[in-house]
Amino acid sequence: MEEKAITAEQMRHYDSFTINTIGVPSLVLMERAALAVRDEILNAYPLNLGHVVVVAGSGNNGGDGLDVARLLHIAGVKVTILNVGNPDHASEEHRVQDHICQYYQIPQTTDLAILDQATLVVDALFGIGIDRVVKGDYAAAIDAINASDAVVIAVDMPSGINTDTGEVMGTAVKADVTVTFAFNKVGLTTDAGKEYAGRVAIADDMGTYAVDD
Ligand SMILES: NC(=O)C1=CN([C@@H]2O[C@H](COP(=O)(O)OP(=O)(O)OC[C@H]3O[C@@H](n4cnc5c(N)ncnc54)[C@H](O)[C@@H]3O)[C@@H](O)[C@H]2O)[C@@H](O)CC1
Ligand SMILES: [K+]
Protein backbone atom coordinates (compact mmCIF):
# COMPACT_ATOMS: atom_id res chain seq x y z
CA MET A 1 0.00 0.00 0.00
CA GLU A 2 1.32 3.41 -0.89
CA GLU A 3 2.04 5.61 2.10
CA LYS A 4 -0.30 8.54 2.63
CA ALA A 5 1.32 11.92 1.96
CA ILE A 6 -0.59 15.14 2.63
CA THR A 7 -0.39 18.89 2.00
CA ALA A 8 0.11 21.70 4.51
CA GLU A 9 -3.58 22.58 4.25
CA GLN A 10 -4.65 19.01 5.00
CA MET A 11 -2.28 18.90 8.00
CA ARG A 12 -3.69 22.18 9.33
CA HIS A 13 -7.18 20.74 8.92
CA TYR A 14 -6.25 17.58 10.85
CA ASP A 15 -4.53 19.59 13.60
CA SER A 16 -7.51 21.90 13.86
CA PHE A 17 -9.96 18.97 14.00
CA THR A 18 -7.89 17.25 16.69
CA ILE A 19 -7.57 20.42 18.76
CA ASN A 20 -10.97 22.04 18.31
CA THR A 21 -13.37 19.12 17.73
CA ILE A 22 -11.76 16.23 19.60
CA GLY A 23 -10.32 18.55 22.24
CA VAL A 24 -6.69 17.43 22.43
CA PRO A 25 -4.86 20.63 23.49
CA SER A 26 -2.35 22.08 21.05
CA LEU A 27 0.43 21.84 23.65
CA VAL A 28 -0.25 18.11 24.01
CA LEU A 29 0.30 17.67 20.27
CA MET A 30 3.47 19.74 20.55
CA GLU A 31 4.76 17.60 23.42
CA ARG A 32 4.14 14.40 21.45
CA ALA A 33 5.89 15.86 18.42
CA ALA A 34 8.88 16.87 20.55
CA LEU A 35 9.04 13.49 22.28
CA ALA A 36 9.24 11.82 18.86
CA VAL A 37 12.15 14.06 17.83
CA ARG A 38 13.90 13.48 21.15
CA ASP A 39 13.56 9.70 20.75
CA GLU A 40 14.86 9.82 17.19
CA ILE A 41 17.93 11.74 18.39
CA LEU A 42 18.62 9.62 21.47
CA ASN A 43 18.14 6.35 19.58
CA ALA A 44 20.20 7.30 16.53
CA TYR A 45 23.04 9.10 18.35
CA PRO A 46 23.09 7.61 21.84
CA LEU A 47 26.77 7.99 22.69
CA ASN A 48 28.18 11.03 20.97
CA LEU A 49 25.64 13.84 21.15
CA GLY A 50 28.17 16.44 22.27
CA HIS A 51 26.68 19.93 21.99
CA VAL A 52 23.19 20.17 20.49
CA VAL A 53 22.14 23.53 19.02
CA VAL A 54 18.40 23.97 18.51
CA VAL A 55 17.73 26.61 15.85
CA ALA A 56 14.27 27.98 16.62
CA GLY A 57 11.99 30.26 14.61
CA SER A 58 9.13 32.11 16.29
CA GLY A 59 6.19 29.91 15.19
CA ASN A 60 5.03 26.52 16.37
CA ASN A 61 7.88 24.75 14.57
CA GLY A 62 10.18 26.83 16.78
CA GLY A 63 7.96 25.89 19.73
CA ASP A 64 8.58 22.22 18.91
CA GLY A 65 12.30 23.02 18.87
CA LEU A 66 12.20 24.65 22.32
CA ASP A 67 10.28 21.64 23.61
CA VAL A 68 12.98 19.31 22.20
CA ALA A 69 15.65 21.52 23.81
CA ARG A 70 14.01 21.09 27.20
CA LEU A 71 13.57 17.32 26.79
CA LEU A 72 17.24 16.88 25.81
CA HIS A 73 18.37 19.17 28.65
CA ILE A 74 16.39 17.06 31.12
CA ALA A 75 18.06 13.95 29.63
CA GLY A 76 21.45 15.44 30.53
CA VAL A 77 22.48 16.64 27.06
CA LYS A 78 24.34 19.96 26.60
CA VAL A 79 21.93 22.18 24.65
CA THR A 80 21.96 25.77 23.39
CA ILE A 81 18.98 27.48 21.73
CA LEU A 82 19.73 29.73 18.75
CA ASN A 83 16.76 32.08 18.33
CA VAL A 84 16.05 33.47 14.86
CA GLY A 85 13.35 36.01 13.99
CA ASN A 86 11.33 38.54 15.89
CA PRO A 87 10.33 37.39 19.41
CA ASP A 88 7.40 39.85 19.28
CA HIS A 89 5.86 37.56 16.65
CA ALA A 90 6.14 34.41 18.77
CA SER A 91 3.13 32.07 18.74
CA GLU A 92 1.26 31.36 21.96
CA GLU A 93 2.71 27.84 22.24
CA HIS A 94 6.21 29.18 21.51
CA ARG A 95 5.86 31.61 24.44
CA VAL A 96 4.88 28.78 26.77
CA GLN A 97 7.87 26.68 25.68
CA ASP A 98 10.18 29.68 26.03
CA HIS A 99 8.96 30.28 29.59
CA ILE A 100 9.74 26.64 30.47
CA CYS A 101 13.21 26.82 28.86
CA GLN A 102 13.95 29.95 30.91
CA TYR A 103 12.97 28.13 34.09
CA TYR A 104 15.53 25.43 33.25
CA GLN A 105 18.10 28.12 32.38
CA ILE A 106 18.87 26.56 29.01
CA PRO A 107 21.39 28.88 27.31
CA GLN A 108 19.90 31.01 24.51
CA THR A 109 21.66 33.15 21.90
CA THR A 110 21.03 34.95 18.61
CA ASP A 111 24.68 34.63 17.50
CA LEU A 112 25.10 32.24 14.56
CA ALA A 113 28.69 31.58 15.66
CA ILE A 114 27.32 29.07 18.20
CA LEU A 115 26.85 26.72 15.23
CA ASP A 116 30.65 26.32 15.09
CA GLN A 117 30.39 24.39 18.37
CA ALA A 118 27.47 22.20 17.33
CA THR A 119 27.81 18.44 16.90
CA LEU A 120 24.08 18.08 16.23
CA VAL A 121 21.66 20.75 15.00
CA VAL A 122 17.89 20.60 15.44
CA ASP A 123 16.33 22.62 12.62
CA ALA A 124 13.12 24.19 13.95
CA LEU A 125 12.90 27.37 11.87
CA PHE A 126 9.90 26.61 9.65
CA GLY A 127 7.58 23.65 9.31
CA ILE A 128 4.35 23.54 7.33
CA GLY A 129 3.86 27.30 7.88
CA ILE A 130 6.42 28.36 5.25
CA ASP A 131 4.60 30.42 2.64
CA ARG A 132 7.20 32.67 1.00
CA VAL A 133 10.81 32.94 -0.09
CA VAL A 134 13.31 32.83 2.79
CA LYS A 135 15.42 35.99 3.19
CA GLY A 136 17.53 37.97 5.65
CA ASP A 137 18.33 36.45 9.06
CA TYR A 138 16.43 33.26 8.24
CA ALA A 139 18.42 32.68 5.05
CA ALA A 140 21.66 33.42 6.92
CA ALA A 141 20.74 30.88 9.61
CA ILE A 142 19.92 28.21 7.02
CA ASP A 143 23.18 28.82 5.17
CA ALA A 144 25.11 28.66 8.47
CA ILE A 145 23.46 25.33 9.37
CA ASN A 146 24.44 23.96 5.96
CA ALA A 147 28.03 25.20 6.40
CA SER A 148 28.43 23.41 9.74
CA ASP A 149 29.83 19.89 10.11
CA ALA A 150 27.06 18.90 12.52
CA VAL A 151 24.47 16.20 11.98
CA VAL A 152 21.17 17.93 11.16
CA ILE A 153 17.75 16.75 12.34
CA ALA A 154 14.85 18.68 10.79
CA VAL A 155 11.61 19.10 12.73
CA ASP A 156 8.58 18.29 10.52
CA MET A 157 10.11 19.76 7.32
CA PRO A 158 13.63 20.85 6.35
CA SER A 159 13.28 24.64 6.74
CA GLY A 160 12.96 26.31 3.33
CA ILE A 161 11.28 23.34 1.62
CA ASN A 162 7.74 23.88 0.37
CA THR A 163 5.46 21.35 2.08
CA ASP A 164 3.30 20.78 -1.00
CA THR A 165 5.86 20.74 -3.81
CA GLY A 166 9.29 20.11 -2.29
CA GLU A 167 10.46 23.34 -3.97
CA VAL A 168 13.40 25.18 -2.36
CA MET A 169 12.02 28.57 -1.25
CA GLY A 170 15.24 30.49 -1.91
CA THR A 171 17.43 28.40 0.38
CA ALA A 172 16.76 25.31 2.50
CA VAL A 173 18.30 23.20 5.25
CA LYS A 174 20.01 20.01 4.11
CA ALA A 175 19.06 17.51 6.77
CA ASP A 176 20.37 14.06 7.61
CA VAL A 177 17.01 13.07 9.11
CA THR A 178 13.57 14.71 8.97
CA VAL A 179 11.05 13.74 11.64
CA THR A 180 7.67 14.61 10.16
CA PHE A 181 4.46 14.50 12.14
CA ALA A 182 1.32 12.38 11.76
CA PHE A 183 1.65 11.73 8.00
CA ASN A 184 4.30 12.09 5.33
CA LYS A 185 4.11 15.38 3.40
CA VAL A 186 3.80 15.57 -0.40
CA GLY A 187 6.87 17.83 -0.59
CA LEU A 188 9.01 15.18 1.09
CA THR A 189 8.14 12.65 -1.63
CA THR A 190 9.43 14.77 -4.56
CA ASP A 191 13.03 14.54 -5.81
CA ALA A 192 14.00 17.98 -4.40
CA GLY A 193 12.26 17.33 -1.09
CA LYS A 194 13.91 13.92 -0.71
CA GLU A 195 17.33 15.40 -1.36
CA TYR A 196 16.95 17.96 1.44
CA ALA A 197 15.08 15.77 3.92
CA GLY A 198 17.58 12.92 4.21
CA ARG A 199 15.96 9.94 5.92
CA VAL A 200 12.30 10.65 6.61
CA ALA A 201 10.94 9.34 9.91
CA ILE A 202 7.16 9.59 10.26
CA ALA A 203 6.09 10.10 13.87
CA ASP A 204 2.58 8.73 13.58
CA ASP A 205 1.71 8.35 17.25
CA MET A 206 0.86 12.02 17.47
CA GLY A 207 -2.72 12.02 18.63
CA THR A 208 -3.52 13.81 15.35
CA TYR A 209 -6.33 12.18 13.45
CA ALA A 210 -7.19 12.19 9.80
CA VAL A 211 -10.90 12.77 9.76
CA ASP A 212 -12.14 13.57 6.30
CA ASP A 213 -15.30 15.51 6.90
N1 LIG B 1 -0.93 22.63 17.29
C1 LIG B 1 -0.33 22.68 16.14
O1 LIG B 1 -0.74 23.37 15.23
C2 LIG B 1 0.90 21.89 16.03
C3 LIG B 1 1.95 22.36 15.26
N2 LIG B 1 3.10 21.72 15.20
C4 LIG B 1 4.28 22.35 14.60
O2 LIG B 1 3.99 23.64 14.12
C5 LIG B 1 4.41 23.79 12.78
C6 LIG B 1 3.55 24.80 12.10
O3 LIG B 1 3.62 25.97 12.90
P1 LIG B 1 3.20 27.40 12.37
O4 LIG B 1 1.89 27.31 11.69
O5 LIG B 1 3.34 28.32 13.52
O6 LIG B 1 4.25 27.73 11.24
P2 LIG B 1 5.85 27.61 11.18
O7 LIG B 1 6.40 27.48 12.56
O8 LIG B 1 6.15 26.59 10.16
O9 LIG B 1 6.25 29.05 10.60
C7 LIG B 1 6.10 30.18 11.43
C8 LIG B 1 5.63 31.40 10.68
O10 LIG B 1 6.66 31.90 9.85
C9 LIG B 1 6.08 32.76 8.88
N3 LIG B 1 6.79 32.54 7.61
C10 LIG B 1 6.47 31.69 6.61
N4 LIG B 1 7.41 31.75 5.64
C11 LIG B 1 8.32 32.66 6.05
C12 LIG B 1 9.53 33.17 5.48
N5 LIG B 1 9.98 32.73 4.30
N6 LIG B 1 10.22 34.09 6.15
C13 LIG B 1 9.80 34.54 7.36
N7 LIG B 1 8.66 34.10 7.97
C14 LIG B 1 7.94 33.17 7.30
C15 LIG B 1 4.62 32.41 8.78
O11 LIG B 1 3.87 33.51 9.21
C16 LIG B 1 4.48 31.22 9.73
O12 LIG B 1 3.29 31.21 10.42
C17 LIG B 1 4.35 22.38 12.22
O13 LIG B 1 5.20 22.22 11.12
C18 LIG B 1 4.81 21.57 13.42
O14 LIG B 1 6.22 21.56 13.49
C19 LIG B 1 3.36 20.62 16.11
O15 LIG B 1 3.80 21.19 17.32
C20 LIG B 1 2.14 19.79 16.36
C21 LIG B 1 0.98 20.63 16.81
K1 LIG C 1 12.06 22.67 10.39
Side-chain angles (χ1 to χ4, degrees):
M1 192 179 87
E2 201 169 310
E3 188 180 65
K4 179 180 171 113
I6 64 172
T7 63
E9 191 187 338
Q10 285 174 304
M11 189 65 224
R12 272 192 292 275
H13 171 70
Y14 295 153
D15 277 338
S16 161
F17 184 89
T18 305
I19 294 164
N20 299 311
T21 303
I22 302 179
V24 179
S26 185
L27 281 165
V28 171
L29 293 186
M30 185 170 275
E31 193 69 17
R32 292 173 89 146
L35 284 164
V37 177
R38 178 203 63 178
D39 289 349
E40 183 65 38
I41 292 171
L42 294 181
N43 289 334
Y45 307 95
L47 297 176
N48 54 352
L49 271 176
H51 187 171
V52 174
V53 174
V54 175
V55 187
S58 57
N60 277 358
N61 196 253
D64 289 349
L66 298 183
D67 198 333
V68 172
R70 181 236 309 157
L71 292 170
L72 290 175
H73 173 82
I74 289 170
V77 177
K78 179 176 166 65
V79 183
T80 301
I81 296 160
L82 171 59
N83 289 302
V84 183
N86 187 341
D88 293 342
H89 295 164
S91 67
E92 201 182 317
E93 291 87 348
H94 185 290
R95 288 177 200 274
V96 172
Q97 299 298 347
D98 182 53
H99 183 88
I100 300 171
C101 286
Q102 295 205 24
Y103 171 84
Y104 283 104
Q105 299 184 336
I106 301 172
Q108 303 209 23
T109 183
T110 55
D111 185 351
L112 294 182
I114 192 72
L115 287 166
D116 295 343
Q117 299 174 31
T119 48
L120 187 142
V121 169
V122 176
D123 158 34
L125 278 171
F126 302 116
I128 63 168
I130 190 157
D131 58 7
R132 52 193 184 271
V133 168
V134 181
K135 294 180 182 162
D137 290 347
Y138 289 106
I142 289 173
D143 294 343
I145 293 170
N146 289 341
S148 93
D149 294 331
V151 168
V152 179
I153 312 290
V155 175
D156 209 13
M157 291 293 299
S159 298
I161 293 294
N162 183 299
T163 309
D164 300 344
T165 64
E167 177 199 351
V168 176
M169 312 277 281
T171 185
V173 167
K174 275 219 111 178
D176 295 285
V177 180
T178 297
V179 183
T180 198
F181 303 134
F183 302 97
N184 202 358
K185 307 303 177 308
V186 176
L188 297 176
T189 66
T190 65
D191 287 346
K194 278 183 187 162
E195 191 193 328
Y196 280 80
R199 176 168 64 83
V200 175
I202 300 166
D204 57 4
D205 182 25
M206 285 283 299
T208 304
Y209 302 99
V211 181
D212 296 305
D213 55 338

Short mmCIF file of all heavy atoms in Angstrom, two decimals, residues 15 19 26 29-30 33 59-62 64 126-134 138 155-156 181 206, ligand 1:
data_model
loop_
_atom_site.label_atom_id
_atom_site.label_comp_id
_atom_site.label_asym_id
_atom_site.label_seq_id
_atom_site.Cartn_x
_atom_site.Cartn_y
_atom_site.Cartn_z
N ASP A 15 -4.90 19.01 12.30
CA ASP A 15 -4.53 19.59 13.60
C ASP A 15 -5.72 20.31 14.22
O ASP A 15 -6.03 20.15 15.39
CB ASP A 15 -3.38 20.60 13.45
CG ASP A 15 -2.00 19.94 13.41
OD1 ASP A 15 -1.87 18.79 13.89
OD2 ASP A 15 -1.07 20.56 12.88
N ILE A 19 -7.60 19.45 17.66
CA ILE A 19 -7.57 20.42 18.76
C ILE A 19 -8.99 20.92 19.09
O ILE A 19 -9.41 20.90 20.25
CB ILE A 19 -6.65 21.61 18.39
CG1 ILE A 19 -5.20 21.13 18.27
CG2 ILE A 19 -6.78 22.74 19.43
CD1 ILE A 19 -4.28 22.10 17.55
N SER A 26 -3.47 21.85 21.96
CA SER A 26 -2.35 22.08 21.05
C SER A 26 -1.00 21.75 21.69
O SER A 26 -0.12 21.16 21.06
CB SER A 26 -2.39 23.55 20.64
OG SER A 26 -1.45 23.82 19.69
N LEU A 29 -0.24 18.07 21.58
CA LEU A 29 0.30 17.67 20.27
C LEU A 29 1.77 18.06 20.16
O LEU A 29 2.60 17.30 19.65
CB LEU A 29 -0.49 18.34 19.14
CG LEU A 29 -1.94 17.92 18.95
CD1 LEU A 29 -2.50 18.57 17.70
CD2 LEU A 29 -2.04 16.41 18.84
N MET A 30 2.08 19.26 20.63
CA MET A 30 3.47 19.74 20.55
C MET A 30 4.39 18.84 21.38
O MET A 30 5.48 18.49 20.94
CB MET A 30 3.54 21.19 21.03
CG MET A 30 4.91 21.82 20.86
SD MET A 30 4.89 23.61 21.16
CE MET A 30 4.39 24.22 19.57
N ALA A 33 4.98 15.62 19.55
CA ALA A 33 5.89 15.86 18.42
C ALA A 33 7.33 15.94 18.94
O ALA A 33 8.25 15.30 18.39
CB ALA A 33 5.51 17.17 17.72
N GLY A 59 7.51 30.56 15.29
CA GLY A 59 6.19 29.91 15.19
C GLY A 59 6.14 28.63 15.99
O GLY A 59 6.95 28.40 16.89
N ASN A 60 5.18 27.77 15.63
CA ASN A 60 5.03 26.52 16.37
C ASN A 60 6.13 25.51 16.02
O ASN A 60 6.43 24.64 16.84
CB ASN A 60 3.65 25.90 16.12
CG ASN A 60 2.62 26.53 17.03
OD1 ASN A 60 2.94 27.39 17.86
ND2 ASN A 60 1.37 26.12 16.89
N ASN A 61 6.73 25.62 14.83
CA ASN A 61 7.88 24.75 14.57
C ASN A 61 9.01 25.10 15.55
O ASN A 61 9.64 24.21 16.13
CB ASN A 61 8.33 24.91 13.10
CG ASN A 61 9.25 23.79 12.64
OD1 ASN A 61 10.44 24.00 12.47
ND2 ASN A 61 8.71 22.60 12.45
N GLY A 62 9.20 26.40 15.76
CA GLY A 62 10.18 26.83 16.78
C GLY A 62 9.76 26.37 18.17
O GLY A 62 10.60 25.98 18.99
N ASP A 64 8.15 23.63 18.86
CA ASP A 64 8.58 22.22 18.91
C ASP A 64 10.07 22.15 19.27
O ASP A 64 10.49 21.32 20.07
CB ASP A 64 8.43 21.54 17.54
CG ASP A 64 7.00 21.30 17.12
OD1 ASP A 64 6.09 21.45 17.95
OD2 ASP A 64 6.80 20.96 15.94
N PHE A 126 11.23 26.63 10.29
CA PHE A 126 9.90 26.61 9.65
C PHE A 126 9.45 25.17 9.46
O PHE A 126 10.26 24.32 9.09
CB PHE A 126 9.93 27.24 8.25
CG PHE A 126 10.39 28.65 8.21
CD1 PHE A 126 11.57 28.98 7.55
CD2 PHE A 126 9.66 29.67 8.82
CE1 PHE A 126 12.00 30.29 7.49
CE2 PHE A 126 10.11 30.98 8.77
CZ PHE A 126 11.28 31.29 8.10
N GLY A 127 8.17 24.94 9.65
CA GLY A 127 7.58 23.65 9.31
C GLY A 127 6.60 23.86 8.18
O GLY A 127 6.94 24.44 7.14
N ILE A 128 5.35 23.44 8.40
CA ILE A 128 4.35 23.54 7.33
C ILE A 128 3.86 24.97 7.13
O ILE A 128 3.09 25.24 6.22
CB ILE A 128 3.15 22.60 7.60
CG1 ILE A 128 2.41 23.01 8.88
CG2 ILE A 128 3.58 21.15 7.65
CD1 ILE A 128 1.06 22.32 9.05
N GLY A 129 4.32 25.91 7.99
CA GLY A 129 3.86 27.30 7.88
C GLY A 129 4.61 28.12 6.84
O GLY A 129 4.24 29.26 6.57
N ILE A 130 5.65 27.55 6.23
CA ILE A 130 6.42 28.36 5.25
C ILE A 130 5.52 28.72 4.07
O ILE A 130 4.84 27.86 3.51
CB ILE A 130 7.71 27.63 4.80
CG1 ILE A 130 8.56 28.59 4.01
CG2 ILE A 130 7.39 26.35 4.04
CD1 ILE A 130 10.02 28.22 3.97
N ASP A 131 5.50 30.00 3.73
CA ASP A 131 4.60 30.42 2.64
C ASP A 131 5.23 31.46 1.72
O ASP A 131 4.54 32.07 0.91
CB ASP A 131 3.27 30.94 3.21
CG ASP A 131 3.46 32.11 4.16
OD1 ASP A 131 4.60 32.61 4.29
OD2 ASP A 131 2.46 32.54 4.78
N ARG A 132 6.54 31.72 1.90
CA ARG A 132 7.20 32.67 1.00
C ARG A 132 8.70 32.40 0.98
O ARG A 132 9.19 31.58 1.76
CB ARG A 132 6.92 34.11 1.43
CG ARG A 132 7.23 34.41 2.89
CD ARG A 132 6.63 35.76 3.27
NE ARG A 132 6.95 36.17 4.62
CZ ARG A 132 6.22 35.86 5.69
NH1 ARG A 132 5.15 35.09 5.57
NH2 ARG A 132 6.57 36.30 6.88
N VAL A 133 9.38 33.13 0.07
CA VAL A 133 10.81 32.94 -0.09
C VAL A 133 11.54 33.35 1.19
O VAL A 133 11.16 34.32 1.85
CB VAL A 133 11.31 33.76 -1.31
CG1 VAL A 133 12.83 33.84 -1.34
CG2 VAL A 133 10.78 33.15 -2.59
N VAL A 134 12.55 32.57 1.56
CA VAL A 134 13.31 32.83 2.79
C VAL A 134 14.39 33.88 2.50
O VAL A 134 15.14 33.76 1.54
CB VAL A 134 13.99 31.53 3.28
CG1 VAL A 134 14.77 31.78 4.56
CG2 VAL A 134 12.96 30.43 3.49
N TYR A 138 16.81 34.67 8.39
CA TYR A 138 16.43 33.26 8.24
C TYR A 138 17.32 32.57 7.20
O TYR A 138 17.79 31.45 7.42
CB TYR A 138 14.96 33.14 7.81
CG TYR A 138 13.99 33.50 8.90
CD1 TYR A 138 13.29 34.70 8.85
CD2 TYR A 138 13.77 32.66 9.98
CE1 TYR A 138 12.39 35.05 9.85
CE2 TYR A 138 12.88 32.99 10.99
CZ TYR A 138 12.19 34.18 10.91
OH TYR A 138 11.31 34.52 11.91
N VAL A 155 12.89 19.30 12.05
CA VAL A 155 11.61 19.10 12.73
C VAL A 155 10.48 19.34 11.71
O VAL A 155 10.33 20.44 11.19
CB VAL A 155 11.48 20.07 13.92
CG1 VAL A 155 10.10 19.95 14.56
CG2 VAL A 155 12.57 19.81 14.95
N ASP A 156 9.75 18.31 11.41
CA ASP A 156 8.58 18.29 10.52
C ASP A 156 8.94 18.45 9.05
O ASP A 156 8.56 17.62 8.22
CB ASP A 156 7.53 19.32 10.94
CG ASP A 156 6.12 18.88 10.57
OD1 ASP A 156 5.94 17.69 10.22
OD2 ASP A 156 5.18 19.70 10.64
N PHE A 181 5.48 14.86 11.16
CA PHE A 181 4.46 14.50 12.14
C PHE A 181 3.15 14.01 11.52
O PHE A 181 2.65 14.62 10.57
CB PHE A 181 4.17 15.68 13.06
CG PHE A 181 5.41 16.17 13.75
CD1 PHE A 181 5.71 17.52 13.82
CD2 PHE A 181 6.31 15.27 14.31
CE1 PHE A 181 6.87 17.97 14.44
CE2 PHE A 181 7.47 15.69 14.93
CZ PHE A 181 7.75 17.05 14.99
N MET A 206 0.89 10.61 17.11
CA MET A 206 0.86 12.02 17.47
C MET A 206 -0.41 12.44 18.19
O MET A 206 -0.52 13.54 18.69
CB MET A 206 0.95 12.86 16.19
CG MET A 206 2.32 12.89 15.59
SD MET A 206 3.30 14.01 16.54
CE MET A 206 2.38 15.51 16.28
N1 LIG B 1 -0.93 22.63 17.29
C1 LIG B 1 -0.33 22.68 16.14
O1 LIG B 1 -0.74 23.37 15.23
C2 LIG B 1 0.90 21.89 16.03
C3 LIG B 1 1.95 22.36 15.26
N2 LIG B 1 3.10 21.72 15.20
C4 LIG B 1 4.28 22.35 14.60
O2 LIG B 1 3.99 23.64 14.12
C5 LIG B 1 4.41 23.79 12.78
C6 LIG B 1 3.55 24.80 12.10
O3 LIG B 1 3.62 25.97 12.90
P1 LIG B 1 3.20 27.40 12.37
O4 LIG B 1 1.89 27.31 11.69
O5 LIG B 1 3.34 28.32 13.52
O6 LIG B 1 4.25 27.73 11.24
P2 LIG B 1 5.85 27.61 11.18
O7 LIG B 1 6.40 27.48 12.56
O8 LIG B 1 6.15 26.59 10.16
O9 LIG B 1 6.25 29.05 10.60
C7 LIG B 1 6.10 30.18 11.43
C8 LIG B 1 5.63 31.40 10.68
O10 LIG B 1 6.66 31.90 9.85
C9 LIG B 1 6.08 32.76 8.88
N3 LIG B 1 6.79 32.54 7.61
C10 LIG B 1 6.47 31.69 6.61
N4 LIG B 1 7.41 31.75 5.64
C11 LIG B 1 8.32 32.66 6.05
C12 LIG B 1 9.53 33.17 5.48
N5 LIG B 1 9.98 32.73 4.30
N6 LIG B 1 10.22 34.09 6.15
C13 LIG B 1 9.80 34.54 7.36
N7 LIG B 1 8.66 34.10 7.97
C14 LIG B 1 7.94 33.17 7.30
C15 LIG B 1 4.62 32.41 8.78
O11 LIG B 1 3.87 33.51 9.21
C16 LIG B 1 4.48 31.22 9.73
O12 LIG B 1 3.29 31.21 10.42
C17 LIG B 1 4.35 22.38 12.22
O13 LIG B 1 5.20 22.22 11.12
C18 LIG B 1 4.81 21.57 13.42
O14 LIG B 1 6.22 21.56 13.49
C19 LIG B 1 3.36 20.62 16.11
O15 LIG B 1 3.80 21.19 17.32
C20 LIG B 1 2.14 19.79 16.36
C21 LIG B 1 0.98 20.63 16.81
#
